[in-house]
Amino acid sequence: MAGKRLFAAIALPPDLAGEIAAEERRLAGGLRGGRWTAEADLHITVCFFGDVEEEDVPALTRVLTAAVSSVPAPQFLFDGFTAAPPGSRRQSMIWAVFDGGEEYAELVRAVRTAAGPFALDMPQEKEAIAHVTMARFRDGLAARPPFGKAAPAPFRAATCDLMESRLTPAGPVYSVLARMDLRR
């Protein structure tokens, strides 16, 4: 039985993805050793499931569709760029952070609960921080990057995607397996 490495995510509006990618390009000139996320792959992760058996994907999609459709569509307000994970002594990522309010926290809870029976490798629950991973640094960040002062417009999510992440030597390759509507 073959598994798929799956997660749930919120797609970014194209203009917002473009603004974040512009900040990536600006930062990349001064930060070496990072693996930067392609503009087309920028997303807000709702929940990482780990490996899910391929034959369980249709049932997972059904329960996620029901769970997602019962949750109000969160509005995301840009909160800034940061070295991550927050509070860690060894920060190895750069995030664009958003405030998704209680609706985002509710979405995370609903997705985790629905996926639980299928996602046996799902990491333990932790604080739901709405963020976009812009870059990863294998050896960590030596210093706090000089972040820009971007102020992207708020956006309201309309859908939540079930995504597959295939790991390759060049980095992860993402594909959308299902797009699920949030409650309006």
Side-chain angles (χ1 to χ4, degrees):
M1 293 187 275
K4 290 181 176 271
R5 190 170 186 260
L6 303 180
F7 64 98
I10 301 291
L12 301 180
D15 56 334
L16 175 57
E19 288 181 61
I20 291 172
E23 180 68 1
E24 284 183 344
R25 289 188 297 275
R26 192 185 71 72
L27 289 169
L31 297 173
R32 302 285 177 228
R35 181 172 282 183
W36 297 88
T37 305
E39 183 173 341
D41 291 337
L42 294 170
H43 61 271
I44 294 174
T45 300
V46 174
C47 183
F48 179 74
F49 304 139
D51 289 330
V52 173
E53 294 297 329
E54 194 159 351
E55 67 265 11
D56 289 339
V57 173
L60 172 63
T61 302
R62 284 191 298 278
V63 298
L64 286 177
T65 299
V68 166
S69 69
S70 72
V71 177
Q75 178 166 309
F76 293 95
L77 305 170
F78 180 72
D79 207 21
F81 299 110
T82 191
S88 172
R89 290 184 339 131
R90 184 180 175 276
Q91 295 177 316
S92 60
M93 294 179 275
I94 296 177
W95 288 355
V97 180
F98 293 83
D99 179 354
E102 180 53 35
E103 288 99 359
Y104 176 70
E106 185 178 342
L107 175 62
V108 171
R109 286 189 298 271
V111 166
R112 284 187 66 81
T113 300
F118 305 99
L120 303 178
D121 294 336
M122 186 167 31
Q124 286 187 316
E125 189 169 1
K126 55 187 174 187
E127 180 185 4
I129 300 173
H131 69 278
V132 174
T133 301
M134 298 166 57
R136 290 178 172 81
F137 294 81
R138 180 176 302 179
D139 297 325
L141 289 162
R144 181 169 162 63
F147 295 121
K149 304 285 188 224
F155 77 98
R156 185 166 300 280
T159 60
C160 180
D161 298 335
L162 175 60
M163 305 283 295
E164 179 179 10
S165 172
R166 287 182 286 111
L167 299 178
T168 72
V173 175
Y174 300 131
S175 55
V176 177
L177 299 182
R179 179 153 284 151
M180 303 161 285
D181 292 328
L182 289 153
R183 189 176 84 216
R184 297 278 177 157

